[in-house]
Amino acid sequence: MKKAALFLLGCVLLGACSGKDSFSPDDGDMQRALNVSLFESKDSQKKWILRADEVDFADLNSAVLHHPRLLLRENGQDSAQVSGDRGTFNYSQKLVSIEGNAQVRSFKEKVTLSTDRFFYDVDKDRIWSDKKTIIVRGPAKITARGGIETDSKLVKIEFKKQSTQLPHDLKQVPGVKA
């Protein structure tokens, strides 16, 4: 019985010592975090909240975001959300990029912007895209072939190389009786 106990203790000790000799901060998952929220507050009100399912902090200049959602706030209320498949947050430039099925939804203006990639400048509080962007508001659909630039409220949208698709039938226009 003593030999079996010593054998078991020896196996446990060998198993415990079989790991790496040293610790390295470059080890795979050591720089990752799940369900992360970053935000900026002013006068006890959050201006924006950046959430991601997973964040990789391995790069000292920027964080890599998986399934990011950037919630923009105005006067304590949610005003718009930018979302996509992946993105980055550059710490020094305070620049968020969201790409891969990127979409901006305005809660107040009832408008949706879709493209491959959006940028949000934290200091200037503006959103822009340098890619073809589709803007949908009600039945109207506008394509900005060269991208857009707007404030975070999506009130003033500047179109680059625009083309507009109007409704085919007056029945599709709200408030118009055909």
Side-chain angles (χ1 to χ4, degrees), residues 19-24 27:
K20 288 186 175 181
D21 293 344
S22 63
F23 168 77
S24 170
D27 289 347

Side-chain angles (χ1 to χ4, degrees), residues 3 15 29 37 39 44 49 59 61 109 112 115 117 122 142 159:
K3 288 183 182 180
D29 294 330
S37 291
F39 61 89
S44 299
I49 304 168
D59 183 353
N61 296 316
E109 297 298 318
T112 302
T115 190
R117 175 178 61 204
V122 171
I142 302 169
F159 302 96

Side-chain angles (χ1 to χ4, degrees), residues 88-107:
T88 60
F89 178 58
N90 185 303
Y91 310 125
S92 61
Q93 294 177 352
K94 290 189 175 180
L95 182 67
V96 178
S97 72
I98 295 180
E99 54 191 71
N101 299 311
Q103 190 176 69
V104 178
R105 287 185 314 124
S106 170
F107 303 125

Side-chain angles (χ1 to χ4, degrees), residues 9-20:
L9 178 63
C11 288
V12 169
L13 290 175
L14 282 174
C17 296
S18 66
K20 288 186 175 181

Side-chain angles (χ1 to χ4, degrees), residues 17-87:
C17 296
S18 66
K20 288 186 175 181
D21 293 344
S22 63
F23 168 77
S24 170
D26 293 330
D27 289 347
D29 294 330
M30 295 302 294
Q31 305 297 324
R32 293 183 184 269
L34 301 176
N35 300 316
V36 176
S37 291
L38 305 169
F39 61 89
E40 180 178 21
S41 294
K42 183 178 182 181
D43 301 327
S44 299
Q45 296 283 329
K46 290 180 181 172
K47 290 176 53 178
W48 55 268
I49 304 168
L50 177 60
R51 293 185 174 108
D53 292 347
E54 183 178 342
V55 179
D56 185 348
F57 293 103
D59 183 353
L60 297 178
N61 296 316
S62 63
V64 177
L65 313 167
H66 299 276
H67 302 285
R69 294 164 312 283
L70 175 64
L71 185 63
L72 304 171
R73 301 183 54 107
E74 180 184 356
N75 300 325
Q77 304 242 338
D78 298 348
S79 62
Q81 178 175 291
V82 186
S83 60
D85 296 334
R86 61 195 170 282

Side-chain angles (χ1 to χ4, degrees), residues 83-148:
S83 60
D85 296 334
R86 61 195 170 282
T88 60
F89 178 58
N90 185 303
Y91 310 125
S92 61
Q93 294 177 352
K94 290 189 175 180
L95 182 67
V96 178
S97 72
I98 295 180
E99 54 191 71
N101 299 311
Q103 190 176 69
V104 178
R105 287 185 314 124
S106 170
F107 303 125
K108 293 183 178 183
E109 297 298 318
K110 305 294 186 215
V111 64
T112 302
L113 310 169
S114 302
T115 190
D116 292 331
R117 175 178 61 204
F118 282 112
F119 296 97
Y120 175 66
D121 187 321
V122 171
D123 289 334
K124 295 180 181 172
D125 193 33
R126 70 183 183 113
I127 299 168
W128 77 93
S129 176
D130 54 359
K131 303 279 186 183
K132 175 181 158 184
T133 304
I134 308 292
I135 300 96
V136 177
R137 184 175 193 168
K141 180 178 177 181
I142 302 169
T143 302
R145 292 180 307 206
I148 58 99

